[in-house]
Amino acid sequence: MPGAPPASERKRTPCDIRSSHFLTLGGSDGLRRWVGALGGSAGRLGYQGDVAHTESDGYRDYATQRSTTGFGRATLKAGATTFGAQAIVYDSPYAEDPGALTATQLDTNPRMADPLWVARRVRKSARQNQVGLSATRAVGGGGGDVSANVYGGTRSLFNARPTFVIDLDRTSYGGSVRGTRPVRVGGLTHRLSAGVDAQHQADDRRNDANCNGVKTPTANCATPGVERGVRLLDQTERVTSVGPFARDEVDVGDRYRFTVGARGD
């Protein structure tokens, strides 16, 4: 159109959606998948996110699976500082496990599930969430910056195995601070970085006897028909780490970059 400014110079609307899409697909063995994504900006705010859901009946018997994932990120520029927020979600409420087959079973029916694994209802469900916040500020006017971030997350797992049932609850969190500054030494530009990381993880794990398929009382399964028997493991784990670090990066010509670093945990 004559006289129209180029796209890069046109005034954008308050909420400018740069890209979005939705797709769905299907395949053999009951495969179904839906995906949606959106990304754009609103003034100094940028955002992007996606959600995907997958269902499958599986090639083999007893192989049904369901899962949903989600991701979102937003950034905000305020002067020389850029703030960011990010979230990730994973939810798999049901995933059957058909187990392994012997050579004879495979020749007879490659789609069959291991009869013992079906009787013991071997399966898994998992959920994981993680969120993070970050801030980066340019300093010095020569390519230096200071950044900090914090994160936290949870994970829960239920996993029925042929002989025991696992329950796992996990909590983790941490953060880091880092500073970077370019320095000219000996005719070369060194990019010096230093900072510290800190993180903590707490796991609570419980294993119970798998009593699915048990017809008569045993030492581990006193009540037939009830999935969980005696407790085999009750374990708590706590891990904390702090790690200061330093690094130097230097470019020699256009083809080589040398890096040296040190870290202690």
Side-chain angles (χ1 to χ4, degrees):
M1 178 177 178
S8 60
E9 298 179 7
R10 295 174 193 164
K11 185 177 180 180
R12 300 191 181 277
T13 60
C15 184
D16 178 22
I17 299 177
R18 302 287 185 89
S19 65
S20 63
H21 71 264
F22 175 80
L23 64 88
T24 180
L25 59 86
S28 58
D29 304 310
L31 175 63
R32 300 169 296 279
R33 183 171 174 82
W34 299 268
V35 180
L38 180 71
S41 61
R44 295 175 298 165
L45 176 68
Y47 57 90
Q48 66 182 99
D50 62 69
V51 177
H53 178 74
T54 304
E55 300 179 358
S56 175
D57 297 332
Y59 171 78
R60 296 173 59 193
D61 298 335
Y62 195 72
T64 298
Q65 297 190 18
R66 305 285 186 270
S67 67
T68 302
T69 60
F71 165 80
R73 176 173 172 78
T75 58
L76 176 65
K77 293 185 178 181
T81 305
T82 300
F83 298 95
Q86 181 171 299
I88 301 173
V89 175
Y90 172 77
D91 183 26
S92 178
Y94 195 72
E96 296 173 332
D97 188 343
L101 299 178
T102 65
T104 300
Q105 290 172 326
L106 185 64
D107 291 339
T108 301
N109 180 8
R111 289 180 176 264
M112 73 177 294
D114 186 321
L116 175 62
W117 289 48
V118 175
R120 293 299 177 92
R121 300 187 62 206
V122 177
R123 66 199 190 281
K124 177 172 68 174
S125 63
R127 182 176 179 85
Q128 181 167 320
N129 305 304
Q130 187 168 335
V131 296
L133 301 173
S134 65
T136 302
R137 182 176 179 83
V139 294
D145 63 68
V146 176
S147 64
N149 69 76
V150 293
Y151 71 89
T154 61
R155 176 178 173 82
S156 60
L157 171 69
F158 167 86
N159 190 3
R161 307 306 301 162
T163 58
F164 56 91
V165 177
I166 301 171
D167 271 313
L168 172 67
D169 293 310
R170 171 175 295 169
T171 302
S172 61
Y173 53 84
S176 68
V177 178
R178 176 184 61 83
T180 301
R181 180 172 181 172
V183 178
R184 191 77 175 172
V185 177
L188 299 173
T189 299
H190 296 252
R191 187 170 173 82
L192 304 176
S193 300
V196 61
D197 296 329
Q199 53 193 346
H200 177 78
Q201 180 172 300
D203 285 1
D204 292 320
R205 183 188 301 268
R206 298 164 300 280
N207 292 359
D208 298 323
N210 186 340
C211 299
N212 289 314
V214 175
K215 304 300 182 182
T216 58
T218 66
N220 284 342
C221 302
T223 308
V226 176
E227 180 169 63
R228 299 171 185 267
V230 300
R231 178 135 304 174
L232 305 175
L233 176 69
D234 195 339
Q235 179 173 292
T236 300
E237 298 176 356
R238 302 287 185 267
V239 179
T240 301
S241 68
V242 177
F245 61 87
R247 182 176 65 186
D248 180 17
E249 293 179 312
V250 57
D251 292 330
V252 179
D254 298 328
R255 299 180 59 185
Y256 300 100
R257 171 175 292 179
F258 294 92
T259 301
V260 60
R263 179 183 177 93
D265 284 284

